[in-house]
């Protein structure tokens, strides 16, 4: 069995940590507030946001890079969907038993729909976009295989103009722009990663340049966030555009993501026990996301952690940084543990049902469609 690439597995972990930072800052409401005086913690959180916003794109880059060079199996899609149901339903049941489940009578029907149809209802927007991208992967791969390099480059440039370039520099909100939080942008990222893989593109030429691009992009995003904040404070303008620098499909978010992704293509993790730990932990990162972004947990996990390590210290940058780091360690460890349990259950069910008609039919579909 081929070992997973430790470089990309480490990047997968880092990307998920960056996503946790984004959600922590959002839950603590410590980002810049237009029209209000800025605090030290808000400035610190905004700078973190500028660098960590690249984590989501990077996570999709990793998937596109490997999916574009492999066969997409029905069994894998079904496993992803079952993994989503494991969290949407079983966690809710566990919270009901523990007495921590909260639902208002008017929300009953909608919440039931979110549990029964988690993909269609965007229980997790990221999962909905990701699974649509995954289902479309065979079509995308066929196009990647048959298009010439020039044709593929033209397609990517055209999509970037539509999804990224125009919105990044025109301070007007377009109806068709979803800030990158949809499967359309994920498909663009998939094609970029596939192009890099197919033609072994030396993005930014080496690790040093790649890291410079990542850091420079983060600095530009942070600088634009502060400049637009102060312009708004003085004039009241740019209410919409002030948020654009932290959109997923903003130009410098894309360049920062490419820089980070490229750095880990050049970087080499030493083959030792640490590399084995990275390979063990990385596959559970998706579970970390599913756990902390469950609709019954996404607005409450920071509050629960506060009961363990104390309130979020929004009056001190060093204390805020420590609280953030501790919170991320706790939720990341909890997510890895829960998903490890989920993996054990899935493997047991797989062994029990291995020779059943249903599992034989799924394996046959994998062979027929690949």
């Amino acid at each position: 069995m081929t070992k997973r690439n430790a470089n990309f597995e480490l990047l997968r972990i880092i990307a998920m940590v960056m996503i946790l930072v984004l959600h922590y800052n959002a839950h603590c409401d410590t980002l810049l507030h237009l029209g209000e005086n800025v605090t030290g913690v808000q400035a610190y959180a905004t700078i973190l946001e500028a660098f960590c916003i690249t984590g989501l794109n990077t996570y999709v880059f990793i998937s596109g890079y490997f999916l574009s060079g492999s066969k997409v199996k029905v069994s894998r899609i079904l496993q992803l969907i079952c993994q989503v149901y494991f969290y949407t339903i079983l966690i809710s049941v566990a919270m009901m038993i523990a007495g921590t489940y909260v639902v208002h009578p008017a929300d009953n029907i909608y919440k039931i729909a979110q549990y029964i149809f988690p993909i269609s209802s965007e229980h997790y927007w990221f999962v909905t976009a990701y699974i649509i991208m995954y289902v479309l992967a065979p079509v995308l791969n066929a196009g990647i295989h048959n298009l010439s390099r020039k044709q593929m480059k033209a397609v990517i440039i055209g999509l970037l103009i539509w999804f990224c370039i125009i919105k990044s520099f025109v301070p007007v909100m377009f109806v068709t722009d979803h800030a990158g939080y949809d499967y359309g942008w994920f498909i663009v990222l998939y094609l970029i990663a596939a192009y890099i893989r197919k033609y072994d593109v030396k993005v930014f030429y080496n690790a040093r340049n790649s890291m410079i691009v990542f850091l420079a992009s983060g600095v530009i995003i942070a600088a634009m966030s502060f400049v637009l904040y102060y312009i708004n404070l003085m004039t009241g303008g740019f209410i919409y555009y002030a948020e654009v620098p932290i959109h997923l499909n903003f130009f410098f978010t894309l360049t920062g993501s490419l820089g980070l992704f490229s750095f880990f293509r050049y970087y080499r993790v030493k083959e030792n026990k640490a590399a084995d730990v990275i390979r063990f932990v990385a596959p559970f990162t998706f579970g970390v996301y599913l756990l902390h972004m469950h609709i019954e947990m996404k607005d409450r996990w920071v509050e629960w952690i506060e009961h363990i390590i104390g309130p979020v210290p929004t009056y001190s940058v060093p204390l805020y940084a420590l609280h953030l780091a501790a919170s991320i360690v706790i939720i990341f460890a909890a997510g890895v543990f829960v998903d490890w349990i989920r993996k054990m259950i899935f493997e047991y069910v797989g062994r029990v049902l291995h020779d059943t008609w249903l599992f034989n039919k799924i394996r046959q579909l994998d062979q027929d469609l690949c």
Side-chain angles (χ1 to χ4, degrees):
M1 182 177 179
T2 305
K3 282 187 176 182
R4 285 174 173 261
N5 188 314
N7 304 343
F8 286 111
E9 295 304 282
L10 176 59
L11 179 57
R12 199 187 302 273
I13 294 171
I14 291 172
M16 186 52 63
V17 168
M18 295 168 89
I19 292 169
L20 287 172
V21 171
L22 297 176
H23 293 161
Y24 178 91
N25 285 338
H27 296 331
C28 296
D29 194 27
T30 50
L31 298 174
L32 295 176
H33 291 173
L34 293 183
E36 300 179 12
N37 290 328
V38 62
T39 67
V41 167
Q42 286 177 332
Y44 173 75
T46 300
I47 293 170
L48 281 182
E49 195 87 355
F51 290 95
C52 291
I53 193 65
T54 59
L56 281 154
N57 287 344
T58 302
Y59 203 92
V60 180
F61 272 143
I62 298 169
S63 298
Y65 187 80
F66 288 103
L67 271 177
S68 62
S70 62
K71 300 292 185 181
V72 179
K73 296 183 177 180
V74 174
S75 58
R76 178 55 183 155
I77 296 172
L78 292 176
Q79 187 178 357
L80 276 173
I81 294 173
C82 288
Q83 187 175 0
V84 173
Y85 274 110
F86 175 88
Y87 283 90
T88 55
I89 295 176
L90 293 187
I91 286 180
S92 300
V93 171
M95 292 179 72
M96 288 177 186
I97 294 172
T100 58
Y101 182 85
V102 177
V103 61
H104 301 290
D107 294 336
N108 277 331
I109 295 178
Y110 183 64
K111 283 234 174 165
I112 290 172
Q114 285 183 303
Y115 296 141
I116 298 177
F117 307 104
I119 311 302
S120 299
S121 66
E122 286 198 343
H123 185 124
Y124 306 93
W125 76 264
F126 181 89
V127 174
T128 299
Y130 187 86
I131 288 182
I132 292 174
M133 180 194 76
Y134 205 105
V135 171
L136 289 174
V139 178
L140 297 174
N141 289 350
I144 291 162
H145 177 74
N146 289 289
L147 291 177
S148 68
R149 183 168 186 170
K150 185 177 292 187
Q151 288 173 321
M152 192 171 173
K153 185 184 293 186
V155 169
I156 292 172
I157 291 173
L159 289 173
L160 283 175
I161 292 172
W162 176 264
F163 281 95
C164 176
I165 306 299
I166 296 175
K167 69 81 49 83
S168 295
F169 301 102
V170 178
V172 176
M173 182 167 59
F174 296 103
V175 176
T176 56
D177 177 40
H178 300 139
Y181 293 89
D182 62 355
Y183 67 88
W185 179 240
F186 279 26
I187 288 173
V188 178
L189 297 175
Y190 186 103
L191 292 175
I192 293 171
Y195 182 86
I196 291 171
R197 180 188 179 101
K198 181 177 180 180
Y199 297 106
D200 192 25
V201 179
K202 305 299 181 184
V203 185
F204 311 126
Y205 301 107
N206 55 51
R208 177 180 172 275
N209 290 348
S210 299
M211 182 52 62
I212 289 173
V213 170
F214 167 69
L215 294 175
S217 298
V219 169
I220 292 171
I221 292 170
M224 287 188 65
S225 296
F226 285 117
V227 168
L228 291 168
Y229 161 80
Y230 281 110
I231 291 175
N232 176 266
L233 189 64
M234 292 184 290
T235 69
F238 290 106
I239 293 176
Y240 158 72
Y241 195 64
E243 296 181 356
V244 171
I246 54 170
H247 285 179
L248 297 184
N249 60 347
F250 181 58
F251 179 78
F252 290 107
T253 306
L254 175 62
T255 59
S257 305
L258 276 171
L260 186 61
F261 178 76
S262 177
F263 174 81
F264 278 90
R265 284 187 75 210
Y266 296 110
Y267 177 73
R268 289 291 175 267
V269 174
K270 291 182 179 179
E271 285 300 330
N272 51 29
K273 289 184 178 180
D276 292 334
V277 171
I278 289 169
R279 289 191 184 95
F280 173 80
V281 172
F284 301 124
T285 54
F286 195 57
V288 173
Y289 179 87
L290 293 174
L291 177 68
H292 87 279
M293 288 303 288
H294 184 281
I295 58 174
E296 282 297 317
M297 294 186 64
K298 65 180 181 179
D299 296 323
R300 301 164 69 190
W301 62 270
V302 173
E303 295 176 13
W304 293 343
I305 290 176
E306 286 183 302
H307 292 301
I308 302 172
I309 62 177
V312 177
T314 56
Y315 53 85
S316 168
V317 171
L319 292 179
Y320 180 83
L322 287 172
H323 196 282
L324 181 152
S327 299
I328 287 174
V329 168
I330 291 170
I331 197 67
F332 189 89
V336 169
F337 176 73
V338 171
D339 206 52
W340 176 74
I341 297 295
R342 190 272 315 160
K343 180 174 179 286
M344 295 298 104
I345 294 172
F346 277 28
E347 287 181 349
Y348 174 76
V349 171
R351 289 193 298 269
V352 172
L353 301 180
H354 184 270
D355 295 323
T356 61
W357 174 86
L358 177 61
F359 274 49
N360 285 330
K361 187 67 176 177
I362 293 172
R363 284 193 292 273
Q364 185 61 49
L365 281 173
D366 281 343
Q367 292 178 4
D368 292 344
L369 298 178
C370 290

